[in-house]
Amino acid sequence: MGYINLPPNLFGIFNDLVQRLQKLETATRFTFPAVTSDPSNPRKGDAWLNTTTNLAKIVDANGTVRILTWT
């Protein structure tokens, strides 16, 4: 007797969950360096927390300094 709908691939689902868990277990926490003023010559990818203005900033791929916001 066959299934009308195929049963879920439990092995594939379990394997995907295990891989995601392993990535979470080995993830590195990122912390912005705290500075009192913005760097004079930031490079693409640089990020910092300006403690004077309490703003987190990052330099995007175009070299533009962006203020990071989150809620």
Side-chain angles (χ1 to χ4, degrees):
M1 179 173 185
Y3 288 99
I4 294 174
N5 293 322
L6 294 176
N9 179 0
L10 296 179
F11 180 77
I13 294 171
F14 180 75
N15 190 33
D16 180 58
L17 288 173
V18 168
Q19 288 177 353
R20 290 172 187 242
L21 180 60
Q22 288 172 343
K23 287 178 183 177
L24 286 173
E25 289 173 343
T26 59
T28 304
R29 183 176 150 183
F30 177 78
T31 305
F32 287 99
V35 296
T36 56
S37 63
D38 293 345
S40 58
N41 190 20
R43 298 171 299 179
K44 293 177 185 177
D46 284 353
W48 63 93
L49 173 64
N50 186 321
T51 57
T52 304
T53 60
N54 286 327
L55 295 174
K57 298 181 180 182
I58 191 167
V59 181
D60 68 12
N62 297 321
T64 306
V65 176
R66 303 274 183 194
I67 297 173
L68 299 179
T69 58
W70 58 88
T71 56

